[in-house]
Amino acid sequence: MINYFSARPGISPKVHTISGTGRTLTEIYCLGDTNAIDQTEIEALPGVEKVVSVSRSYAVIGRHNDDTRKDGFTYNGVKFDQSSLHLFAGLCAVDTLENVEEMLRILQEHNQNCTRMGAYKPRSNPYSFQGHGAKCLPGVFELAGKYGIQVIAMEVTHDSHIAEIVKALEQSGLATGVMLEIGTRNTQNFELLKAAGRQKKLPVLIKRGFGVTLDESLNAAEYLAREGNHKIIFCLREMKTNLRDPHRNFVDFSHVPVVRRLTHLPVCIDPSHAIGGRDQDPLGILDVMHTTSQGLIAGANMALVDFHPHPDQALVDSPQALHVNELS
Ligand code: PEP
Ligand code: MN
């Protein structure tokens, strides 16, 4: 294989290793003038199982001709793929450890093993609560372990946050696991994407940018994959429009099947940031419940939902927090 590439200076190989439960797969991406490649010649090389010709767009995350690569990944004992379904209900932002514990206890009563907890909050107003940051991590991780939570979705807005999370997880004795969230405001923060992609320990949930095209957002997910992290989930969280009322953002869950068709990534929906409140239909069913069902029926593999045991105490997004008696 090495001889093959050294004889072709116009093509540079990039190696990715994917470890599953059963075996480890090495993928070699050929970058450069690939028209010069003879597919049958590579197929004949020792150790080659399969050669897939990929298009230029979404080379790693995309679906391609004759592409039977398995989608999904397992992290901390939880499997994520285009057939799985997980609810990540939890606090938009960590406020007090008492509220964290109450939320986690209720999640455990509902047999939930995943949650969301924001420690680093990107806020429009610089005077708004910015999250407790690294100092809340030890308490949150210890409590998550106590209540059997295997994965916490947690937003990061700077690469230093990734290091802080990894350190606190290790100090907790890996009491739980963290899925890094790249929020909608950072979808095109390319240096953050590269940092989240370079580390391969933690999976990454990347949200669609609220004011850019789907193609631009999928390319952002490709940044993560290109750096070597293949544990990626793509999240639709609705678009900003000037239309606003009746909802905070404009729901784009009709794109769930589109993302499933274009890529092999599991798809998440975030109905909370779409609706932004507790309006309901004449039968008393909340708009956010309708929206969640629409996303799930369209094929979503995960839902990220804001809940709070005492919504009046929530320091971020209190109007959209669901009440814990609505969890079931
Ligand atoms: C969040 O999930 O708390 C959040 C800030 O989401 P978004 O980036 O979609 O606004
Ligand atoms: Mn929020």
Side-chain angles (χ1 to χ4, degrees):
M1 192 64 86
I2 289 166
N3 292 343
Y4 181 89
F5 288 112
S6 50
R8 287 163 184 78
I11 301 168
S12 52
K14 189 157 171 64
V15 179
H16 286 286
T17 304
I18 302 161
S19 297
T21 37
R23 65 176 190 149
T24 296
L25 186 72
T26 304
E27 290 184 348
I28 303 177
Y29 290 83
C30 302
L31 308 175
D33 181 15
T34 48
N35 289 331
I37 288 182
D38 177 351
Q39 188 158 331
T40 50
E41 206 180 347
I42 302 191
E43 268 158 2
L45 294 172
V48 175
E49 181 177 310
K50 194 170 179 38
V51 179
V52 179
S53 166
V54 303
S55 54
R56 264 182 196 283
S57 46
Y58 324 140
V60 185
I61 63 166
R63 291 187 182 278
H64 305 285
N65 289 339
D66 307 324
D67 187 352
T68 51
R69 287 178 298 164
K70 268 192 74 58
D71 59 42
F73 58 90
T74 299
Y75 171 66
N76 209 24
V78 185
K79 192 167 194 310
F80 297 90
D81 62 20
Q82 286 197 345
S83 308
S84 59
L85 177 57
H86 299 286
L87 176 67
F88 279 61
L91 305 183
C92 179
V94 170
D95 39 53
T96 66
L97 286 181
E98 289 71 30
N99 283 335
V100 170
E101 180 153 22
E102 199 172 339
M103 183 75 235
L104 294 175
R105 189 181 324 110
I106 291 156
L107 288 171
Q108 190 181 51
E109 281 163 18
H110 287 77
N111 299 317
Q112 297 299 303
N113 58 353
C114 298
T115 188
R116 58 157 294 148
M117 292 280 159
Y120 309 93
K121 299 304 297 180
R123 306 304 304 280
S124 308
N125 183 330
Y127 303 105
S128 302
F129 173 63
Q130 306 282 313
H132 289 307
K135 70 174 188 292
C136 73
L137 300 181
V140 169
F141 293 165
E142 190 193 321
L143 286 170
K146 178 174 166 190
Y147 290 95
I149 294 293
Q150 286 159 275
V151 189
I152 306 174
M154 183 173 277
E155 180 164 2
V156 289
T157 61
H158 191 272
D159 58 3
S160 60
H161 301 158
I162 303 174
E164 288 172 1
I165 289 172
V166 169
K167 189 168 157 213
L169 272 180
E170 280 166 4
Q171 284 173 348
S172 78
L174 302 182
T176 185
V178 169
M179 176 182 287
L180 302 176
E181 177 185 321
I182 308 277
T184 196
R185 291 158 188 81
N186 277 304
T187 306
Q188 289 191 309
N189 180 342
F190 299 114
E191 296 311 315
L192 180 62
L193 295 174
K194 287 183 203 165
R198 266 196 306 272
Q199 66 77 38
K200 300 187 191 88
K201 279 193 186 138
L202 310 182
V204 186
L205 174 90
I206 178 161
K207 289 198 167 184
R208 180 184 187 166
F210 53 26
V212 300
T213 63
L214 183 63
D215 176 61
E216 286 165 316
S217 297
L218 291 176
N219 268 306
E222 181 74 16
Y223 260 90
L224 298 166
R226 195 195 125 78
E227 293 296 326
N229 191 342
H230 291 229
K231 299 190 193 109
I232 305 169
I233 295 186
F234 188 81
C235 180
L236 293 167
R237 55 81 68 208
E238 313 77 31
M239 306 302 291
K240 238 186 201 328
T241 70
N242 290 326
L243 308 172
R244 289 190 65 90
D245 283 347
H247 296 148
R248 183 177 178 186
N249 289 294
F250 203 73
V251 181
D252 56 354
F253 294 167
S254 54
H255 292 176
V256 170
V258 178
V259 179
R260 286 165 56 93
R261 179 172 77 237
L262 293 176
T263 78
H264 50 76
L265 303 181
V267 183
C268 177
I269 51 164
D270 176 346
S272 297
H273 288 81
I275 302 303
R278 295 183 51 81
D279 287 341
Q280 45 186 256
D281 74 7
L283 297 175
I285 300 170
L286 295 169
D287 289 5
V288 69
M289 296 292 185
H290 282 287
T291 310
T292 308
S293 333
Q294 287 156 8
L296 297 184
I297 289 166
N301 308 109
M302 173 172 160
L304 198 64
V305 190
D306 288 3
F307 271 84
H308 202 291
H310 307 283
D312 52 317
Q313 292 174 17
L315 297 177
V316 182
D317 285 348
S318 121
Q320 73 195 25
L322 287 172
H323 302 176
V324 288
N325 63 357
E326 290 159 340
L327 184 58
S328 54

